[in-house]
């Protein structure tokens, strides 16, 4: 069995919690957890802990939540844990070189793409949106640049034409957790060699925003279908119809040429709501109206008022 490493874990959301759980179930020792400060969230603006913090507290592990690492006190606290290695997974802070130099074996990162493709904040969603056929996990040795460090180990997975941001997130979270433990084992036995990234092949995965989730019906049905899948389950694609914000959860491409302006409702029945696009058409099969839950087009159209809202020739706002 590989020797046990003393690990500092830094992460915040569910994606990171999967990796923390895997390390906790391994023979490696988590000596401290770093995560983002508690923040207000939800309609009630209740202060909530991150999933990583919740898991750490369940296992009685010390939790640190610095705003940054600019103070000598924060650096001294980090050094006091005398860790062999620091694991960083969707932490939310760009670590300065002073932090990277503290652990004996440096810092490694679990990233949700096959680097150097999709460096940055939203690699999972951007891969779907771009129509990539595969993605994966990269464990890399961290350096001061954003996701620029040399790669230690990778694993790939195909992206199906029905994968959403949610399904791919969950699959990669599991893959990343398993690959992380493997990487720690091999690092402990000095079996991993780092491979530099080719910067010329790098692409950047910009952070998601609610604003960009608004559908532009001038685009092709293929582009829009990928965007709807990528933004499921956040920020969720949406469009305006008679001053109502309609959230779009699922859609299918219909290869059909029509003369109607982009955004025009062509048909609405139990199969879905057919919309003209800049090229081909989109069949909306799962939607959400304000104040309601997401539901199938069939269930939505059971209400007479919704039949009127989605009547043929009505138009979604087209940017």
């Amino acid at each position: 069995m590989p020797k046990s490493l003393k690990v500092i874990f830094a992460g915040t959301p569910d994606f990171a919690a999967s990796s923390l759980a895997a390390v906790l179930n391994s023979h490696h020792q988590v000596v401290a957890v770093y995560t983002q400060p508690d923040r207000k969230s939800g309609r009630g603006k209740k202060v909530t802990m991150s999933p990583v913090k919740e898991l750490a507290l369940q296992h009685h592990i010390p939790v640190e939540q610095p705003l940054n690492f600019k103070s000598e006190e924060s650096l001294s606290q980090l050094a006091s844990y005398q860790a062999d290695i620091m694991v960083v997974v969707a932490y939310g802070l760009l670590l300065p070189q002073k932090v990277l130099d503290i652990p004996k074996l440096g810092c490694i990162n679990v990233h949700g793409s096959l680097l150097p493709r999709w460096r940055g904040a939203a690699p999972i969603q951007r891969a779907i949106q771009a129509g990539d056929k595969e993605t994966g996990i990269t464990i890399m040795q961290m350096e001061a640049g954003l996701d620029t460090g040399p790669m230690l180990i990778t694993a790939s997975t195909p992206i199906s034409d029905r994968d959403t941001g949610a399904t791919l997130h969950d699959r990669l979270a599991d893959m990343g957790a398993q690959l992380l433990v493997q990487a720690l084992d091999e690092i402990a036995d000095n079996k991993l060699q780092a491979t530099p990234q080719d910067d010329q092949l790098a692409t950047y995965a910009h952070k998601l925003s609610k604003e960009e989730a608004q559908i532009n019906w001038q685009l092709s049905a293929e582009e829009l279908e990928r965007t709807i899948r990528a933004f499921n389950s956040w920020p969720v694609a949406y469009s305006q119809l008679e001053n109502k914000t309609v959230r779009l959860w699922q859609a299918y491409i219909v290869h059909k040429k029509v003369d109607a302006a982009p955004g025009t409702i062509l048909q609405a029945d139990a199969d879905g709501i057919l919309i003209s696009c800049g090229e081909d058409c989109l069949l909306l099969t799962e939607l959400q109206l304000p104040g309601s839950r997401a539901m199938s087009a069939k269930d939505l159209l059971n209400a007479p008022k919704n039949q009127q809202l989605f009547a043929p020739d009505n138009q979604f706002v087209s940017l």
Side-chain angles (χ1 to χ4, degrees):
M1 178 181 288
K3 72 175 185 178
S4 175
L5 296 177
K6 293 173 65 177
V7 177
I8 290 175
F9 187 93
T12 300
D14 288 323
F15 187 88
S18 296
S19 287
L20 175 57
V23 180
L24 290 170
N25 288 327
S26 74
H27 65 284
H28 301 289
Q29 179 189 4
V30 180
V31 295
V33 161
Y34 278 71
T35 191
Q36 286 287 297
D38 299 349
R39 291 194 168 94
K40 294 179 180 180
S41 65
R43 291 184 178 180
K45 296 299 179 182
K46 181 180 178 181
V47 176
T48 57
M49 297 183 292
S50 73
V52 164
K53 181 178 178 178
E54 289 183 1
L55 183 57
L57 293 179
Q58 290 171 16
H59 289 265
H60 309 290
I61 297 169
V63 175
E64 306 288 347
Q65 297 178 275
L67 288 174
N68 52 52
F69 289 94
K70 293 181 179 180
S71 70
E72 288 300 321
E73 181 182 358
S74 63
L75 296 173
S76 297
Q77 181 63 44
L78 184 67
S80 72
Y81 289 110
Q82 299 182 326
D84 295 308
I85 197 166
M86 185 170 178
V87 172
V88 181
V89 189
Y91 179 27
L93 278 181
L94 193 61
L95 301 182
Q97 191 64 46
K98 286 183 178 180
V99 169
L100 302 180
D101 292 339
I102 288 176
K104 299 172 187 176
L105 300 173
C107 302
I108 63 172
N109 175 250
V110 181
H111 187 76
S113 79
L114 296 173
L115 291 170
R117 186 160 179 80
W118 301 126
R119 294 172 178 173
I124 297 171
Q125 295 84 356
R126 298 305 180 194
I128 295 175
Q129 191 179 22
D132 290 3
K133 298 302 181 184
E134 73 168 356
T135 186
I137 292 291
T138 302
I139 310 287
M140 67 174 171
Q141 191 79 43
M142 294 180 69
E143 56 183 32
L146 179 63
D147 300 330
T148 58
M151 301 175 292
L152 297 170
I153 188 170
T154 63
S156 64
T157 183
I159 301 176
S160 80
D161 59 5
R162 298 319 303 160
D163 263 322
T164 65
T167 62
L168 191 55
H169 169 281
D170 292 350
R171 189 158 78 247
L172 289 176
D174 290 342
M175 287 177 59
Q178 296 174 27
L179 199 65
L180 171 59
V181 173
Q182 179 184 338
L184 290 173
D185 289 346
E186 295 187 18
I187 288 170
D189 284 347
N190 198 28
K191 290 181 178 179
L192 281 185
Q193 290 188 339
T195 302
Q197 294 186 41
D198 185 346
D199 291 340
Q200 293 185 338
L201 299 177
T203 57
Y204 185 68
H206 293 276
K207 185 177 179 180
L208 301 176
S209 70
K210 291 182 179 179
E211 290 73 24
E212 71 171 311
Q214 185 168 4
I215 289 293
N216 180 359
W217 296 102
Q218 305 284 348
L219 299 177
S220 70
E222 182 178 352
E223 291 175 280
L224 295 180
E225 187 269 346
R226 291 200 307 257
T227 296
I228 289 170
R229 286 193 290 118
F231 292 176
N232 175 347
S233 60
W234 197 92
V236 186
Y238 68 93
S239 188
Q240 302 289 329
L241 179 64
E242 293 188 1
N243 296 319
K244 294 182 184 293
T245 298
V246 182
R247 304 176 87 187
L248 313 177
W249 288 87
Q250 189 176 69
Y252 293 87
I253 302 166
V254 176
H255 296 291
K256 182 178 181 180
K257 290 184 178 181
V258 295
D259 293 331
T264 302
I265 297 175
L266 304 172
Q267 177 182 321
D269 55 30
D271 292 329
I273 298 166
L274 189 66
I275 315 294
S276 61
C277 304
E279 181 181 333
D280 293 321
C281 300
L282 206 58
L283 186 69
L284 307 177
T285 57
E286 186 176 359
L287 308 88
Q288 184 177 6
L289 291 175
S292 180
R293 60 178 177 85
M295 62 181 71
S296 68
K298 179 180 178 180
D299 290 342
L300 193 71
L301 293 172
N302 281 336
K305 64 178 181 179
N306 292 337
Q307 293 176 18
Q308 184 176 359
L309 177 65
F310 293 101
D313 294 330
N314 280 2
Q315 276 200 316
F316 282 94
V317 174
S318 190
L319 297 179

